[in-house]
Amino acid sequence: MIILFYLAGAVALISTVAVILQSNIVHALIYLILSLLAVAVVFYTLGAPFAAVLEAIVYAGAIMVLFLFVIMMLNLGKFSVDQEKSWTSGRVMLVPAIMSAILLAQLINVLRNYEHSIDVVEVGVLEVSALLFGPYVLAVELASILLLAGLVSAYHLAKK
Amino acid sequence: MASIPVEHGLILAALLFALGLIGVLTRRNIVFVLMSLEVMLNASGLAFIVAASRWGHAEGQVMFLMILTLAAAEVAVGLGLIIQMYRRFHTVDINVLSQMKG
């Protein structure tokens, strides 16, 4: 289980790096799907199988298909790869990479003295659903209203 | 039984978040910016799951579900905006948007 955690984490990191360095947009999307599936495996090793399944279905399934449809509609063609290459040079990457590295160093510094280990206990669908339909039922309703608002505004925005 | 240090999970989340931030800051193609935003949201969800696993509670998974909903709504609106932008400017370059007046 521990080996699976580190292996999936490494796959997630490598494929995310590939996403931000890739010029071909469809390849970047496939790498992003790989990254999300690796994070789903990490969820599974941390004892959250329900979250892992939802990550695979909703993120890697539904949201990525939405991206794929939009890329199809935009129909960027062959010139876009060269265009991407001219847009992302090493010089442009340098300053944001340094800034993010500073932020990352601060985050890791916060975690430095924090030493606890997780004894993985599987928290399954039953416990999560009992919470969702018990104390958090209002949050579920609000989430459904948010999704409805997203649906209506996406329809309105994408309409000709 | 398996025992994973909690800070390793949180460091993984922080690394993914920083990578997503680099993507948002460097890319000029707006579709890539939206994809990097997805990576950042996913990293915050991972932090919630790690915390839930640390305490053995289900609340973190409930928060992950909320983040999932938020990401789905955000992507739907964002992709609608991208389609509208492509219709008006015939490009996916975000620098074009800085020329909007009012």
Side-chain angles (χ1 to χ4, degrees):
Chain A
M1 219 54 158
I2 302 176
I3 299 168
L4 200 60
F5 172 81
Y6 288 108
L7 213 60
V11 170
L13 282 177
I14 291 167
S15 50
T16 309
V17 169
V19 170
I20 62 172
L21 294 178
Q22 191 63 241
S23 309
N24 190 325
I25 194 160
V26 180
H27 293 181
L29 195 70
I30 303 293
Y31 274 120
L32 185 57
I33 292 174
L34 180 62
S35 162
L36 293 173
L37 288 177
V39 172
V41 174
V42 170
F43 286 174
Y44 181 72
T45 59
L46 288 173
F50 187 46
V53 168
L54 279 180
E55 171 99 5
I57 294 174
V58 179
Y59 256 118
I63 296 179
M64 292 303 124
V65 168
L66 214 60
F67 266 104
L68 207 61
F69 269 119
V70 169
I71 290 168
M72 238 169 64
M73 280 178 79
L74 295 181
N75 195 16
L76 296 171
K78 281 204 174 82
F79 69 96
S80 64
V81 176
D82 303 326
Q83 196 183 33
E84 278 300 317
K85 275 185 185 142
S86 69
W87 281 354
T88 51
S89 57
R91 204 163 48 82
V92 180
M93 294 285 256
L94 189 65
V95 176
I98 291 171
M99 296 291 205
S100 304
I102 292 171
L103 180 73
L104 182 66
Q106 285 174 340
L107 284 174
I108 289 176
N109 191 39
V110 169
L111 297 172
R112 200 185 48 193
N113 296 322
Y114 192 74
E115 281 167 7
H116 286 286
S117 58
I118 303 170
D119 300 315
V120 177
V121 183
E122 197 173 299
V123 179
V125 188
L126 187 68
E127 289 91 336
V128 179
S129 338
L131 279 180
L132 279 178
F133 288 97
Y136 290 103
V137 72
L138 185 65
V140 174
E141 296 293 333
L142 287 175
S144 72
I145 292 172
L146 176 69
L147 280 176
L148 181 66
L151 173 71
V152 171
S153 54
Y155 173 72
H156 177 72
L157 284 170
K159 205 169 55 174
K160 275 216 166 90
Chain B
M1 193 57 202
S3 117
I4 301 159
V6 98
E7 65 266 24
H8 288 183
L10 290 175
I11 285 171
L12 177 63
L15 278 167
L16 284 175
F17 190 85
L19 283 172
L21 187 62
I22 293 175
V24 170
L25 291 174
T26 54
R27 301 311 294 245
R28 268 173 73 184
N29 187 335
I30 192 165
V31 184
F32 275 99
V33 173
L34 207 61
M35 275 158 65
S36 305
L37 272 176
E38 284 305 300
V39 171
M40 288 171 78
L41 275 172
N42 194 40
S44 55
L46 175 62
F48 268 111
I49 293 288
V50 171
S53 183
R54 160 73 179 87
W55 301 105
H57 283 178
E59 269 93 349
Q61 294 192 41
V62 173
M63 283 311 295
F64 174 73
L65 283 185
M66 298 300 143
I67 291 176
L68 203 70
T69 320
L70 182 71
E74 175 249 336
V75 151
V77 176
L79 289 173
L81 283 171
I82 288 176
I83 290 173
Q84 201 56 253
M85 174 185 166
Y86 195 73
R87 282 210 190 106
R88 286 198 189 179
F89 302 105
H90 299 285
T91 179
V92 283
D93 182 4
I94 45 173
N95 283 10
V96 173
L97 294 181
S98 63
Q99 292 161 7
M100 281 199 300
K101 299 277 192 302

